[in-house]
Amino acid sequence: AEGFTDARGRYSIDFENEGESGYYVQVVAENDNERIAQKVTDLDGNLYSWRTEDTYDEKETPDNKDINIEIGKVVSGAALNVWDVGVSCSTYARIYSGQSMPMLQFLWTDGEKPEGEDASFFTDKNKIFVLGDPADSDCYDDVILGHEYGHFVMSVVGRDDSPGGSHSSNKQSKPTLAMSEGWATFFGVTASGAQHIWTQMPAVWVFITA
């Protein structure tokens, strides 16, 4: 069976097991419906997921209310912060654009630079590469993640004439580049501060596997 957590991580799933008794719970960083369509993978495209160490017997405990999964830094828990920022940005974009965002993939591997770059970046293939450099990782930098999501939103619902290329806050840029980067930062700041808008949005996909 499968279901979704709410914004606080709570979930409830009913299931029937026609085989041998015993099940475990798995959390998957992926969702694809009309409200949120996104996934978080490593740089090789492997989906982040976590499961309970124990299995449970539904015959002994038919109503199990205490299955929690602690996902910390040592097990790539930062992927869920990337996920959470995506939920906030997707919700913000849907509310103010009036349309749902298409599937977006975040790619992040702890300790690695995506494609050798020293920064996070968005591509026109609906992918956001997140910097994992241990000296300056962006996995917990919500505004930078939101900035890259802003580029994604602009590509979906607007028009971006940016020529791309290097840019810095301490030097002048072409107006089209400045507009694109400034708007993306504006979106990232406002979206990351808009979490009060949503209270019951699904956070992660949860499976029960027998």
Side-chain angles (χ1 to χ4, degrees):
E2 63 186 50
F4 301 91
T5 66
D6 64 15
R8 297 177 61 184
R10 300 172 299 187
Y11 65 95
S12 177
I13 301 176
D14 296 323
F15 72 97
E16 294 183 1
N17 185 6
E18 297 179 354
E20 295 183 5
S21 61
Y23 67 93
Y24 61 86
V25 179
Q26 183 176 18
V27 177
V28 179
E30 182 179 31
N31 195 355
D32 187 6
N33 60 34
E34 61 183 12
R35 303 182 75 179
I36 297 176
Q38 65 178 31
K39 57 184 176 181
V40 184
T41 72
D42 64 18
L43 294 177
D44 293 324
N46 300 308
L47 189 68
Y48 282 103
S49 65
W50 306 262
R51 57 158 291 179
T52 54
E53 294 183 0
D54 299 325
T55 57
Y56 306 91
D57 191 331
E58 67 274 16
K59 293 181 179 179
E60 295 180 0
T61 313
D63 188 15
N64 198 335
K65 297 181 179 180
D66 298 307
I67 301 180
N68 298 312
I69 303 178
E70 293 186 9
I71 304 172
K73 184 176 181 179
V74 295
V75 290
S76 301
L80 286 179
N81 184 69
V82 176
W83 171 272
D84 200 39
V85 173
V87 171
S88 296
C89 291
S90 175
T91 303
Y92 191 79
R94 182 174 56 83
I95 290 173
Y96 288 101
S97 72
Q99 69 181 76
S100 297
M101 295 297 102
M103 174 60 72
L104 174 69
Q105 179 181 2
F106 291 93
L107 297 99
W108 167 79
T109 296
D110 189 23
E112 295 189 20
K113 298 180 180 181
E115 300 186 2
E117 298 292 332
D118 290 318
S120 300
F121 58 93
F122 165 72
T123 74
D124 58 2
K125 297 179 181 179
N126 291 5
K127 295 181 179 180
I128 292 177
F129 289 85
V130 180
L131 179 64
D133 185 349
D136 184 26
S137 181
D138 289 339
C139 56
Y140 286 110
D141 197 327
D142 295 0
V143 173
I144 287 180
L145 297 172
H147 170 100
E148 301 306 334
Y149 201 103
H151 285 305
F152 170 58
V153 173
M154 182 176 286
S155 74
V156 173
V157 303
R159 174 178 173 178
D160 190 352
D161 295 324
S162 172
S166 62
H167 49 275
S168 173
S169 60
N170 59 8
K171 68 177 183 180
Q172 290 184 331
S173 301
K174 293 182 179 180
T176 49
L177 175 60
M179 171 63 190
S180 176
E181 297 303 322
W183 190 90
T185 295
F186 167 78
F187 179 90
V189 170
T190 53
S192 64
Q195 295 184 13
H196 64 281
I197 293 177
W198 57 277
T199 58
Q200 299 295 328
M201 292 300 296
V204 290
W205 205 352
V206 182
F207 294 90
I208 288 183
T209 303

mmCIF file of all heavy atoms in Angstrom, residues 43 48 73 78 82 107-121 129-140 145:
data_model
loop_
_atom_site.group_PDB
_atom_site.id
_atom_site.type_symbol
_atom_site.label_atom_id
_atom_site.label_comp_id
_atom_site.label_asym_id
_atom_site.label_seq_id
_atom_site.Cartn_x
_atom_site.Cartn_y
_atom_site.Cartn_z
ATOM 1 N N LEU A 43 23.393 12.350 -7.814
ATOM 2 C CA LEU A 43 23.844 12.826 -9.122
ATOM 3 C C LEU A 43 23.803 11.747 -10.193
ATOM 4 O O LEU A 43 23.857 12.053 -11.391
ATOM 5 C CB LEU A 43 25.260 13.396 -9.012
ATOM 6 C CG LEU A 43 25.382 14.678 -8.160
ATOM 7 C CD1 LEU A 43 26.839 15.112 -8.066
ATOM 8 C CD2 LEU A 43 24.531 15.805 -8.719
ATOM 9 N N TYR A 48 16.329 8.936 -3.642
ATOM 10 C CA TYR A 48 16.562 8.789 -2.207
ATOM 11 C C TYR A 48 15.360 8.105 -1.564
ATOM 12 O O TYR A 48 14.207 8.479 -1.806
ATOM 13 C CB TYR A 48 16.793 10.152 -1.547
ATOM 14 C CG TYR A 48 18.180 10.690 -1.782
ATOM 15 C CD1 TYR A 48 18.408 11.702 -2.713
ATOM 16 C CD2 TYR A 48 19.277 10.186 -1.086
ATOM 17 C CE1 TYR A 48 19.682 12.192 -2.940
ATOM 18 C CE2 TYR A 48 20.556 10.669 -1.303
ATOM 19 C CZ TYR A 48 20.756 11.670 -2.234
ATOM 20 O OH TYR A 48 22.024 12.141 -2.461
ATOM 21 N N LYS A 73 21.474 13.188 9.225
ATOM 22 C CA LYS A 73 22.487 13.590 8.258
ATOM 23 C C LYS A 73 23.297 12.408 7.752
ATOM 24 O O LYS A 73 23.674 12.360 6.574
ATOM 25 C CB LYS A 73 23.417 14.622 8.895
ATOM 26 C CG LYS A 73 24.457 15.189 7.949
ATOM 27 C CD LYS A 73 25.285 16.278 8.614
ATOM 28 C CE LYS A 73 26.311 16.858 7.636
ATOM 29 N NZ LYS A 73 27.118 17.932 8.272
ATOM 30 N N ALA A 78 19.705 15.293 4.446
ATOM 31 C CA ALA A 78 19.612 16.617 3.833
ATOM 32 C C ALA A 78 18.773 16.601 2.561
ATOM 33 O O ALA A 78 18.230 17.632 2.156
ATOM 34 C CB ALA A 78 21.007 17.151 3.532
ATOM 35 N N VAL A 82 16.033 19.502 0.939
ATOM 36 C CA VAL A 82 15.870 19.882 -0.463
ATOM 37 C C VAL A 82 14.434 19.613 -0.901
ATOM 38 O O VAL A 82 13.791 20.447 -1.551
ATOM 39 C CB VAL A 82 16.859 19.103 -1.354
ATOM 40 C CG1 VAL A 82 16.626 19.427 -2.831
ATOM 41 C CG2 VAL A 82 18.300 19.420 -0.959
ATOM 42 N N LEU A 107 18.947 17.062 -8.049
ATOM 43 C CA LEU A 107 20.059 16.116 -8.021
ATOM 44 C C LEU A 107 21.108 16.619 -7.029
ATOM 45 O O LEU A 107 21.625 17.737 -7.173
ATOM 46 C CB LEU A 107 20.683 15.956 -9.404
ATOM 47 C CG LEU A 107 19.770 15.367 -10.488
ATOM 48 C CD1 LEU A 107 19.179 16.472 -11.349
ATOM 49 C CD2 LEU A 107 20.522 14.374 -11.361
ATOM 50 N N TRP A 108 21.405 15.800 -6.043
ATOM 51 C CA TRP A 108 22.361 16.197 -4.998
ATOM 52 C C TRP A 108 23.048 14.961 -4.443
ATOM 53 O O TRP A 108 22.393 13.945 -4.181
ATOM 54 C CB TRP A 108 21.628 16.906 -3.858
ATOM 55 C CG TRP A 108 22.465 17.062 -2.618
ATOM 56 C CD1 TRP A 108 23.434 18.000 -2.390
ATOM 57 C CD2 TRP A 108 22.407 16.258 -1.436
ATOM 58 N NE1 TRP A 108 23.983 17.814 -1.146
ATOM 59 C CE2 TRP A 108 23.370 16.757 -0.529
ATOM 60 C CE3 TRP A 108 21.627 15.161 -1.061
ATOM 61 C CZ2 TRP A 108 23.570 16.194 0.726
ATOM 62 C CZ3 TRP A 108 21.836 14.593 0.189
ATOM 63 C CH2 TRP A 108 22.791 15.115 1.075
ATOM 64 N N THR A 109 24.365 15.055 -4.306
ATOM 65 C CA THR A 109 25.142 14.021 -3.644
ATOM 66 C C THR A 109 26.055 14.688 -2.633
ATOM 67 O O THR A 109 26.798 15.620 -2.981
ATOM 68 C CB THR A 109 25.984 13.207 -4.649
ATOM 69 O OG1 THR A 109 25.110 12.502 -5.538
ATOM 70 C CG2 THR A 109 26.861 12.190 -3.916
ATOM 71 N N ASP A 110 25.984 14.244 -1.418
ATOM 72 C CA ASP A 110 26.787 14.836 -0.355
ATOM 73 C C ASP A 110 28.272 14.739 -0.691
ATOM 74 O O ASP A 110 28.778 13.677 -1.048
ATOM 75 C CB ASP A 110 26.498 14.110 0.965
ATOM 76 C CG ASP A 110 27.129 14.806 2.159
ATOM 77 O OD1 ASP A 110 27.402 16.021 2.061
ATOM 78 O OD2 ASP A 110 27.338 14.143 3.191
ATOM 79 N N GLY A 111 28.960 15.873 -0.621
ATOM 80 C CA GLY A 111 30.397 15.899 -0.843
ATOM 81 C C GLY A 111 30.830 16.047 -2.283
ATOM 82 O O GLY A 111 32.026 16.011 -2.568
ATOM 83 N N GLU A 112 29.886 16.223 -3.204
ATOM 84 C CA GLU A 112 30.253 16.293 -4.617
ATOM 85 C C GLU A 112 29.748 17.581 -5.279
ATOM 86 O O GLU A 112 28.721 18.135 -4.901
ATOM 87 C CB GLU A 112 29.697 15.084 -5.377
ATOM 88 C CG GLU A 112 30.298 13.757 -4.946
ATOM 89 C CD GLU A 112 29.886 12.608 -5.851
ATOM 90 O OE1 GLU A 112 29.475 12.888 -6.997
ATOM 91 O OE2 GLU A 112 29.974 11.453 -5.410
ATOM 92 N N LYS A 113 30.481 18.019 -6.279
ATOM 93 C CA LYS A 113 30.084 19.162 -7.091
ATOM 94 C C LYS A 113 29.376 18.652 -8.337
ATOM 95 O O LYS A 113 29.915 17.804 -9.049
ATOM 96 C CB LYS A 113 31.311 19.982 -7.506
ATOM 97 C CG LYS A 113 32.083 20.594 -6.351
ATOM 98 C CD LYS A 113 33.280 21.387 -6.873
ATOM 99 C CE LYS A 113 34.067 22.005 -5.736
ATOM 100 N NZ LYS A 113 35.217 22.800 -6.232
ATOM 101 N N PRO A 114 28.195 19.148 -8.636
ATOM 102 C CA PRO A 114 27.491 18.670 -9.842
ATOM 103 C C PRO A 114 28.185 19.143 -11.107
ATOM 104 O O PRO A 114 28.385 20.339 -11.317
ATOM 105 C CB PRO A 114 26.095 19.286 -9.700
ATOM 106 C CG PRO A 114 26.297 20.485 -8.821
ATOM 107 C CD PRO A 114 27.422 20.135 -7.896
ATOM 108 N N GLU A 115 28.573 18.200 -11.938
ATOM 109 C CA GLU A 115 29.246 18.481 -13.200
ATOM 110 C C GLU A 115 30.459 19.384 -13.011
ATOM 111 O O GLU A 115 30.810 20.195 -13.890
ATOM 112 C CB GLU A 115 28.262 19.078 -14.213
ATOM 113 C CG GLU A 115 27.088 18.144 -14.521
ATOM 114 C CD GLU A 115 26.186 18.665 -15.617
ATOM 115 O OE1 GLU A 115 26.466 19.742 -16.181
ATOM 116 O OE2 GLU A 115 25.185 17.985 -15.920
ATOM 117 N N GLY A 116 31.099 19.298 -11.845
ATOM 118 C CA GLY A 116 32.302 20.068 -11.567
ATOM 119 C C GLY A 116 32.082 21.533 -11.250
ATOM 120 O O GLY A 116 33.045 22.286 -11.078
ATOM 121 N N GLU A 117 30.824 21.950 -11.154
ATOM 122 C CA GLU A 117 30.512 23.361 -10.918
ATOM 123 C C GLU A 117 30.608 23.696 -9.430
ATOM 124 O O GLU A 117 30.384 22.845 -8.561
ATOM 125 C CB GLU A 117 29.119 23.701 -11.437
ATOM 126 C CG GLU A 117 28.947 23.513 -12.935
ATOM 127 C CD GLU A 117 29.748 24.512 -13.751
ATOM 128 O OE1 GLU A 117 30.000 25.627 -13.236
ATOM 129 O OE2 GLU A 117 30.127 24.189 -14.881
ATOM 130 N N ASP A 118 30.907 24.964 -9.139
ATOM 131 C CA ASP A 118 31.038 25.422 -7.760
ATOM 132 C C ASP A 118 29.759 26.057 -7.236
ATOM 133 O O ASP A 118 29.785 26.804 -6.254
ATOM 134 C CB ASP A 118 32.193 26.438 -7.642
ATOM 135 C CG ASP A 118 33.552 25.779 -7.820
ATOM 136 O OD1 ASP A 118 33.746 24.678 -7.275
ATOM 137 O OD2 ASP A 118 34.402 26.368 -8.518
ATOM 138 N N ALA A 119 28.649 25.809 -7.885
ATOM 139 C CA ALA A 119 27.375 26.404 -7.472
ATOM 140 C C ALA A 119 26.229 25.497 -7.905
ATOM 141 O O ALA A 119 26.390 24.622 -8.761
ATOM 142 C CB ALA A 119 27.210 27.789 -8.100
ATOM 143 N N SER A 120 25.084 25.716 -7.290
ATOM 144 C CA SER A 120 23.867 25.035 -7.728
ATOM 145 C C SER A 120 23.359 25.713 -8.996
ATOM 146 O O SER A 120 23.580 26.909 -9.207
ATOM 147 C CB SER A 120 22.800 25.101 -6.637
ATOM 148 O OG SER A 120 23.237 24.480 -5.452
ATOM 149 N N PHE A 121 22.643 24.972 -9.834
ATOM 150 C CA PHE A 121 22.152 25.573 -11.061
ATOM 151 C C PHE A 121 20.953 24.808 -11.595
ATOM 152 O O PHE A 121 20.751 23.624 -11.286
ATOM 153 C CB PHE A 121 23.248 25.640 -12.132
ATOM 154 C CG PHE A 121 23.855 24.314 -12.500
ATOM 155 C CD1 PHE A 121 23.365 23.566 -13.569
ATOM 156 C CD2 PHE A 121 24.927 23.807 -11.781
ATOM 157 C CE1 PHE A 121 23.918 22.341 -13.902
ATOM 158 C CE2 PHE A 121 25.498 22.581 -12.112
ATOM 159 C CZ PHE A 121 24.995 21.849 -13.176
ATOM 160 N N PHE A 129 20.469 21.079 -10.131
ATOM 161 C CA PHE A 129 21.655 20.446 -9.573
ATOM 162 C C PHE A 129 22.067 21.215 -8.324
ATOM 163 O O PHE A 129 22.276 22.433 -8.384
ATOM 164 C CB PHE A 129 22.782 20.426 -10.600
ATOM 165 C CG PHE A 129 22.556 19.480 -11.745
ATOM 166 C CD1 PHE A 129 21.820 19.873 -12.859
ATOM 167 C CD2 PHE A 129 23.070 18.193 -11.705
ATOM 168 C CE1 PHE A 129 21.612 19.000 -13.913
ATOM 169 C CE2 PHE A 129 22.860 17.306 -12.755
ATOM 170 C CZ PHE A 129 22.127 17.706 -13.862
ATOM 171 N N VAL A 130 22.186 20.508 -7.215
ATOM 172 C CA VAL A 130 22.464 21.137 -5.921
ATOM 173 C C VAL A 130 23.912 20.865 -5.534
ATOM 174 O O VAL A 130 24.354 19.719 -5.504
ATOM 175 C CB VAL A 130 21.515 20.596 -4.838
ATOM 176 C CG1 VAL A 130 21.811 21.262 -3.492
ATOM 177 C CG2 VAL A 130 20.056 20.828 -5.236
ATOM 178 N N LEU A 131 24.631 21.935 -5.217
ATOM 179 C CA LEU A 131 26.028 21.824 -4.828
ATOM 180 C C LEU A 131 26.154 21.034 -3.531
ATOM 181 O O LEU A 131 25.498 21.341 -2.536
ATOM 182 C CB LEU A 131 26.630 23.216 -4.648
ATOM 183 C CG LEU A 131 28.092 23.289 -4.203
ATOM 184 C CD1 LEU A 131 29.001 22.689 -5.277
ATOM 185 C CD2 LEU A 131 28.486 24.739 -3.911
ATOM 186 N N GLY A 132 27.022 20.011 -3.554
ATOM 187 C CA GLY A 132 27.246 19.193 -2.368
ATOM 188 C C GLY A 132 28.646 19.320 -1.817
ATOM 189 O O GLY A 132 29.054 18.508 -0.982
ATOM 190 N N ASP A 133 29.393 20.308 -2.278
ATOM 191 C CA ASP A 133 30.763 20.523 -1.821
ATOM 192 C C ASP A 133 30.778 20.641 -0.296
ATOM 193 O O ASP A 133 30.085 21.495 0.261
ATOM 194 C CB ASP A 133 31.307 21.804 -2.455
ATOM 195 C CG ASP A 133 32.774 22.046 -2.135
ATOM 196 O OD1 ASP A 133 33.305 21.346 -1.254
ATOM 197 O OD2 ASP A 133 33.370 22.942 -2.753
ATOM 198 N N PRO A 134 31.525 19.800 0.414
ATOM 199 C CA PRO A 134 31.516 19.859 1.879
ATOM 200 C C PRO A 134 31.953 21.212 2.428
ATOM 201 O O PRO A 134 31.583 21.581 3.548
ATOM 202 C CB PRO A 134 32.492 18.745 2.286
ATOM 203 C CG PRO A 134 33.332 18.488 1.076
ATOM 204 C CD PRO A 134 32.433 18.759 -0.090
ATOM 205 N N ALA A 135 32.730 21.976 1.650
ATOM 206 C CA ALA A 135 33.169 23.293 2.106
ATOM 207 C C ALA A 135 32.073 24.343 1.956
ATOM 208 O O ALA A 135 32.104 25.385 2.618
ATOM 209 C CB ALA A 135 34.418 23.725 1.345
ATOM 210 N N ASP A 136 31.096 24.073 1.090
ATOM 211 C CA ASP A 136 30.044 25.061 0.828
ATOM 212 C C ASP A 136 28.846 24.370 0.195
ATOM 213 O O ASP A 136 28.491 24.626 -0.958
ATOM 214 C CB ASP A 136 30.566 26.174 -0.090
ATOM 215 C CG ASP A 136 29.528 27.268 -0.315
ATOM 216 O OD1 ASP A 136 28.658 27.449 0.548
ATOM 217 O OD2 ASP A 136 29.591 27.911 -1.381
ATOM 218 N N SER A 137 28.210 23.489 0.934
ATOM 219 C CA SER A 137 27.071 22.751 0.398
ATOM 220 C C SER A 137 25.814 23.603 0.436
ATOM 221 O O SER A 137 25.616 24.410 1.346
ATOM 222 C CB SER A 137 26.846 21.467 1.204
ATOM 223 O OG SER A 137 25.755 20.736 0.676
ATOM 224 N N ASP A 138 24.964 23.437 -0.569
ATOM 225 C CA ASP A 138 23.711 24.204 -0.643
ATOM 226 C C ASP A 138 22.494 23.407 -0.188
ATOM 227 O O ASP A 138 21.372 23.887 -0.314
ATOM 228 C CB ASP A 138 23.474 24.685 -2.075
ATOM 229 C CG ASP A 138 24.437 25.790 -2.485
ATOM 230 O OD1 ASP A 138 25.003 26.444 -1.597
ATOM 231 O OD2 ASP A 138 24.635 25.977 -3.705
ATOM 232 N N CYS A 139 22.705 22.205 0.348
ATOM 233 C CA CYS A 139 21.557 21.352 0.660
ATOM 234 C C CYS A 139 20.667 21.930 1.763
ATOM 235 O O CYS A 139 19.497 21.579 1.858
ATOM 236 C CB CYS A 139 22.027 19.947 1.042
ATOM 237 S SG CYS A 139 23.200 19.888 2.410
ATOM 238 N N TYR A 140 21.231 22.819 2.595
ATOM 239 C CA TYR A 140 20.429 23.465 3.632
ATOM 240 C C TYR A 140 20.284 24.964 3.396
ATOM 241 O O TYR A 140 19.843 25.690 4.282
ATOM 242 C CB TYR A 140 21.039 23.222 5.012
ATOM 243 C CG TYR A 140 20.825 21.813 5.538
ATOM 244 C CD1 TYR A 140 21.883 20.914 5.644
ATOM 245 C CD2 TYR A 140 19.562 21.390 5.935
ATOM 246 C CE1 TYR A 140 21.683 19.627 6.124
ATOM 247 C CE2 TYR A 140 19.352 20.116 6.422
ATOM 248 C CZ TYR A 140 20.426 19.233 6.511
ATOM 249 O OH TYR A 140 20.217 17.957 6.986
ATOM 250 N N LEU A 145 18.284 27.284 -2.974
ATOM 251 C CA LEU A 145 17.420 26.273 -3.588
ATOM 252 C C LEU A 145 16.182 26.925 -4.191
ATOM 253 O O LEU A 145 15.751 26.585 -5.293
ATOM 254 C CB LEU A 145 17.019 25.233 -2.545
ATOM 255 C CG LEU A 145 18.147 24.399 -1.940
ATOM 256 C CD1 LEU A 145 17.619 23.554 -0.781
ATOM 257 C CD2 LEU A 145 18.785 23.515 -2.994
#
